[in-house]
Amino acid sequence: MARGSTTTHRESDAAESLIGRGARIRGRVHGDGALRVEGSVEGNIQLTGDLEIEDGASVTGDVEASSLVVSGQLTGDVTSRGPVTIRATAQYAGNVGGSEVILEEGAAFAGRIEAEFDLPAELSERTGGRAQSPRRESAGR
């Protein structure tokens, strides 16, 4: 970044790590900050930051991260403190839990989505006002 630039970077951007195309990692990956996977990881990933699995990349193992975007292949369970986005190019097999789960049309998904949500008013009246209770939904392809 040039001096005097008005461009700002988030702290998590500065701490981003990369597993590049052609790189293959076997074993547990953990750390602070964000990670972008363009290669292959066989093992669990635990991060304090965000995780991106790019189109053409693969991860086999459980994932824990702040947020997750899957464009490539992922086999394993996901626990996210923030949103999880499964892109149209993704192939995902496993259970997923996050504050928000976005499953784009065309994505290959096999697993269970766990999320808390409120029922709409018209449905909560039929269930005796249990709109605030957590719900578990299953989805599969």
Side-chain angles (χ1 to χ4, degrees), residues 64-83:
E64 183 179 327
S66 242
S67 70
L68 173 66
V69 176
V70 181
S71 299
Q73 296 180 354
L74 173 59
T75 303
D77 294 340
V78 169
T79 303
S80 176
R81 296 173 293 283

Side-chain angles (χ1 to χ4, degrees), residues 44-57:
N44 296 343
I45 299 176
Q46 184 178 16
L47 302 171
T48 59
D50 304 330
L51 175 63
E52 286 186 60
I53 302 170
E54 298 291 331
D55 191 12

Side-chain angles (χ1 to χ4, degrees), residues 30-41:
H30 62 92
D32 296 330
L35 175 65
R36 186 167 35 130
V37 178
E38 295 177 351
S40 172
V41 175

